[in-house]
Amino acid sequence: MRIIDVHNHLYPKEWLDYLEKHSKTLAVRKKDDKILIYFKGTRLATIEKKGHIDPEARLQDMDEKKIDVQIISLSTPSVELAPKRDGIPWAKRLNDYFATLCQRSKGRFQFYAVLPLQDIPASIKELERAKTDLGAKGIIMFSNVCGKPIYFQEFYPIYEAASSLNLPILIHPGPPITSTVLKKVMMPVPLFGFVMDTTIAVTGLIYFGIFDRFPDLKIIHPHLGGVFPYLVGRINDAYKAYGKDYRFCLKKEPSQYYRENVYVDSISFHTPSLLCAIEFMGTDRVLFGTDYAHPIGGIDKAIKSVRALNLKEEEKEKIFSENAKRLFKI
């Protein structure tokens, strides 16, 4: 059974060098054999595996764990956190790097394009270049752009272009808008901050009518859909109770857009949670992911949690590869 991993991350060394030397809001620190990345004093990311930076080490891990294909992406911190004068050329540079890596991998790697979201016209140009010239299979966007919600109108051209070019968008956590609160209550940002931030972002895309405007748009909501699949009743009822106050006006119930326009990945590393998401979404909307090479979870846990599902083999095959092959045209 083939395995396609749609959610994993690679930090090019040159990008880490730039962050270490030039960023004013980010700090890159080395501790023992780890690289720790901080955003405004809060630990944002941890690099401890060679495959997080080195493609050859990554391929060795993929071979060992029987991963056939990875759709690779940059993780946070990404280029939208850099000054505009740096973010635009770095987006091009990183996409060129990922495209070259894919070409050399003989089909083992595909990639999501990164966009300089601090400049929307430049993002549109880069999106088109990444699709047409570089062969990108999707786009990675982050759950907010320097604290600004991605469902605001200025981002609509991104969704229009992605929809017209048939490029799915992975909505990945950026530095969460709750970072200050989590620091105050002494909780790790990756624990609550990441999944809440993407849930706010995707719920906002629904409530603000982005899928009515762009009905062919496809979104991937990582980490098993954040908390959306488990708050469906509340999300629907909140729209009914408060929608008029916020001038929301949808053609369908919020959860219906989620089922029709959103995919989730399998990253929870917990089989009962997967079952809950599958009951809501169906197996056709679940993609396999590992979050490699971040320290939470791991490839073994990701594979084991799907294999433990009480499903027919053809249903598991959908999750492991068939859904991704259909969505990304692999």
Side-chain angles (χ1 to χ4, degrees):
M1 188 180 294
R2 284 173 57 81
I3 298 180
I4 300 175
D5 177 5
V6 308
H7 181 175
N8 57 87
H9 303 292
L10 179 67
Y11 285 108
K13 185 178 183 303
E14 293 81 2
W15 175 241
L16 293 176
D17 291 341
Y18 166 81
L19 293 176
E20 188 172 10
K21 295 174 183 177
H22 298 285
S23 179
K24 295 181 180 179
T25 57
L26 291 155
V28 180
R29 302 172 187 168
K30 296 178 181 178
K31 183 179 180 182
D32 300 324
D33 293 330
K34 300 179 182 179
I35 299 174
L36 308 178
I37 302 175
Y38 292 81
F39 178 76
K40 295 182 178 180
T42 299
R43 185 171 160 191
L44 188 65
T46 302
I47 300 172
E48 58 184 5
K49 292 184 175 69
K50 289 183 179 179
H52 224 152
I53 300 172
D54 180 0
E56 291 303 318
R58 171 178 291 251
L59 283 168
Q60 291 175 11
D61 287 343
M62 290 170 64
D63 289 341
E64 180 184 342
K65 305 299 183 182
K66 311 299 183 186
I67 302 291
D68 295 284
V69 178
Q70 284 189 335
I71 307 178
I72 55 177
S73 62
L74 185 67
S75 188
T76 189
S78 185
V79 297
E80 81 280 353
L81 299 178
K84 185 186 294 189
R85 67 179 183 274
D86 293 343
I88 295 172
W90 265 108
K92 295 178 180 179
R93 186 172 174 179
L94 289 166
N95 288 331
D96 286 343
Y97 170 84
F98 286 132
T100 300
L101 196 62
C102 291
Q103 291 166 6
R104 293 174 178 172
S105 73
K106 299 180 180 179
R108 300 296 301 279
F109 294 141
Q110 304 289 344
F111 81 103
Y112 296 94
V114 64
L115 302 178
L117 293 169
Q118 63 274 67
D119 187 310
I120 300 303
S123 291
I124 299 300
K125 290 180 181 179
E126 184 58 20
L127 185 158
E128 292 170 346
R129 186 184 79 95
K131 167 71 172 183
T132 304
D133 298 344
L134 303 182
K137 291 297 184 181
I139 303 161
I140 184 166
M141 285 183 68
F142 292 84
S143 48
N144 67 80
V145 178
C146 298
K148 185 181 298 181
I150 60 171
Y151 45 83
F152 279 11
Q153 192 167 357
E154 66 190 81
F155 297 105
Y156 287 9
I158 301 287
Y159 304 125
E160 182 178 15
S163 180
S164 66
L165 291 171
N166 198 25
L167 282 173
I169 302 177
L170 173 65
I171 305 293
H172 191 272
I177 56 176
T178 55
S179 293
T180 302
V181 173
L182 290 168
K183 186 177 181 180
K184 184 177 181 180
V185 299
M186 300 178 66
M187 287 288 177
V189 163
L191 176 58
F192 294 115
F194 285 174
V195 293
M196 291 305 301
D197 221 60
T198 60
T199 301
I200 291 169
V202 176
T203 305
L205 292 176
I206 294 171
Y207 276 8
F208 278 73
I210 279 73
F211 296 115
D212 279 336
R213 188 179 293 266
F214 309 112
D216 295 326
L217 182 66
K218 294 293 182 286
I219 297 295
I220 301 158
H221 190 178
H223 307 120
L224 205 60
V227 298
F228 193 105
Y230 326 103
L231 293 178
V232 170
R234 193 172 187 86
I235 289 168
N236 285 338
D237 287 350
Y239 170 75
K240 295 172 185 175
Y242 303 106
K244 290 183 179 179
D245 294 351
Y246 291 87
R247 298 183 180 179
F248 299 144
C249 184
L250 300 177
K251 297 177 182 179
K252 295 177 281 191
E253 199 170 44
S255 59
Q256 192 62 31
Y257 294 95
Y258 200 88
R259 288 193 184 98
E260 293 175 0
N261 294 90
V262 179
Y263 290 77
V264 302
D265 68 31
S266 61
I267 297 171
S268 74
F269 316 108
H270 186 56
T271 300
S273 300
L274 262 170
L275 286 169
C276 181
I278 288 170
E279 185 174 347
F280 169 54
M281 300 286 292
T283 53
D284 289 342
R285 289 283 170 170
V286 182
L287 307 163
F288 179 76
T290 62
D291 224 352
Y292 176 95
H294 286 312
I296 294 179
I299 294 177
D300 288 332
K301 283 187 177 181
I303 293 173
K304 183 179 179 181
S305 64
V306 175
R307 286 186 172 153
L309 291 167
N310 186 22
L311 296 173
K312 295 179 180 178
E313 287 301 301
E314 54 263 35
E315 297 297 308
K316 294 179 185 178
E317 191 171 10
K318 287 181 182 180
I319 296 171
F320 275 127
S321 63
E322 294 304 307
N323 294 337
K325 286 165 64 176
R326 184 181 70 252
L327 178 62
F328 295 101
K329 297 179 173 56
I330 297 174

